[in-house]
Amino acid sequence: MKILFLFLDGVGLGVDDPRINPFTQARTPILHKLLGGKQLVADAAPYLGSKASLLALDACMGVDGMPQSATGQATLLTGQNVPAAIGYHYGPKPNHLIATHLRNGNIFNVLRKNGKSAALLNAYPGRYFEGISSGKRIYSAIPLAVTSAGIALKTEADLLQGNAIAADFTAQGWRDVLHLPDTPVITHYQAGERLAAIARGYDLGFFEYWLSDYAGHHQDMTQALAILESFDTMLAGLLNKWDDNESLILITSDHGNLEDLSTRRHTQNPVPALVIGKPDQRGQFSEGLKSLSDIAPAITRSVFPQGENRA
């Protein structure tokens, strides 16, 4: 089974309150249909439908304090309760202890060592690599996991060739923010179709979407609604080209934030695990999912045929 992992930074399952939760206001017909007419809020989970399943995942994992990006993402990628291992939640970028966990075993590493293919589908601009090389920038948890597994990050050339996706899906930000005016811009629907085509070439395709966390920290309802509605449009394009017979889509997060715009901080809300695909494959993947630490083992048992030996 192939898996597309759509990682939405800073998205929890919040209360059904349109004053603070943009998920209750946003026009998201695709998500609405997947959830049987429900909104993506706390009361919607658990849900089992014909096309999708929704579970609530514990992001606190028995550790006091507010969940953070580095420890949450490291937990998703390794299957280890990293906050418990180091004694605290930490972020946004990994410190030495978290980096050690990521380098010593993550899902990209496990797949690659056992002959499976995996890739981070985001395109990174040249200045990102320059910042890493100069030491002015350090990897966040996800690109650190990918590169430590010996997998190259995708570049501007990959974006131009249609083999990668911009962080905002359309690449408009490459023109407006990065000041690269010749970058081709696509629609959110086209981005979804392209994501399906690219992910088809890997046993695990991973896409990181961080604008959701950005909007949460800014407490910007207008921006939050625009982000959710554009994501839903992308999802429409993705599902139009997706083959449920051989693949699953997983949408999850590292901690709450966007679902509660009454605060600039993260939340202790559970995060969604939205699994899209055939019922039997969803059932196999979703069995036992209770916290962030259960995601990597679920990916492993789904990608590898039953009984296949793994190093």
Side-chain angles (χ1 to χ4, degrees):
M1 189 191 310
K2 296 182 178 181
I3 296 174
L4 173 59
F5 190 146
L6 293 178
F7 171 72
L8 304 186
D9 197 341
V11 171
L13 290 170
V15 297
D16 187 0
D17 184 346
R19 295 171 300 175
I20 63 172
N21 190 348
F23 285 94
T24 66
Q25 290 192 48
R27 295 185 293 273
T28 53
I30 302 304
L31 279 174
H32 197 65
K33 184 176 180 179
L34 287 171
L35 294 173
K38 300 180 180 181
Q39 303 285 1
L40 192 63
V41 296
D43 290 344
Y47 171 77
L48 176 62
S50 61
K51 180 75 172 179
S53 303
L54 176 66
L55 295 169
L57 300 182
D58 177 16
C60 297
M61 297 176 289
V63 177
D64 291 338
M66 208 64 70
Q68 300 295 327
S69 296
T71 42
Q73 292 167 26
T75 298
L76 285 169
L77 294 170
T78 64
Q80 305 167 33
N81 185 340
V82 176
I86 69 173
Y88 51 87
H89 299 285
Y90 186 86
K93 301 290 182 69
N95 60 15
H96 173 71
L97 292 174
I98 299 168
T100 299
H101 281 276
L102 285 165
R103 291 192 178 102
N104 288 346
N106 66 70
I107 192 63
F108 295 102
N109 192 284
V110 171
L111 293 177
R112 191 165 185 266
K113 282 185 175 180
N114 289 277
K116 301 296 183 181
S117 58
L120 179 56
L121 307 182
N122 295 70
Y124 290 83
R127 67 186 66 178
Y128 177 86
F129 297 100
E130 292 169 3
I132 294 293
S133 298
S134 69
K136 295 179 180 179
R137 177 191 292 267
I138 65 171
Y139 286 127
S140 58
I142 294 167
L144 177 60
V146 172
T147 55
S148 68
I151 300 171
L153 299 180
K154 292 184 179 291
T155 66
E156 181 179 358
D158 292 301
L159 180 65
L160 296 177
Q161 294 164 10
N163 296 322
I165 303 291
D168 65 352
F169 293 119
T170 67
Q172 186 65 50
W174 284 55
R175 290 189 177 191
D176 298 344
V177 179
L178 299 179
H179 305 296
L180 298 171
D182 296 329
T183 306
V185 173
I186 59 177
T187 67
H188 285 90
Y189 190 91
Q190 290 170 329
E193 292 184 317
R194 182 172 294 179
L195 194 57
I198 300 170
R200 196 171 294 124
Y202 300 98
D203 293 299
L204 174 65
F206 194 109
F207 184 82
E208 178 183 7
Y209 187 68
W210 50 264
L211 291 177
S212 43
D213 193 51
Y214 184 87
H217 283 302
H218 283 76
Q219 296 178 277
D220 187 332
M221 181 65 77
T222 300
Q223 182 185 33
L225 293 174
I227 282 173
L228 292 176
E229 290 170 6
S230 61
F231 179 82
D232 198 71
T233 301
M234 183 284 301
L235 195 56
L238 172 62
L239 295 178
N240 182 51
K241 296 294 185 180
W242 195 252
D243 183 2
D244 282 344
N245 291 317
E246 61 180 22
S247 309
L248 281 179
I249 297 170
L250 167 67
I251 301 174
T252 192
S253 187
D254 50 353
H255 56 75
N257 184 358
L258 183 64
E259 79 286 357
D260 185 356
L261 296 184
S262 68
T263 176
R264 296 174 62 89
R265 304 178 66 204
H266 295 173
T267 74
Q268 294 181 321
N269 289 328
V271 301
L274 180 61
V275 187
I276 304 169
K278 292 178 65 176
D280 58 335
Q281 294 177 340
R282 279 189 280 126
Q284 175 190 344
F285 183 89
S286 302
E287 184 177 357
L289 289 187
K290 296 180 180 179
S291 79
L292 302 188
S293 63
D294 297 319
I295 291 295
I299 292 173
T300 300
R301 68 171 177 260
S302 297
V303 170
F304 291 100
Q306 190 171 9
E308 181 176 315
N309 292 326
R310 298 189 291 276

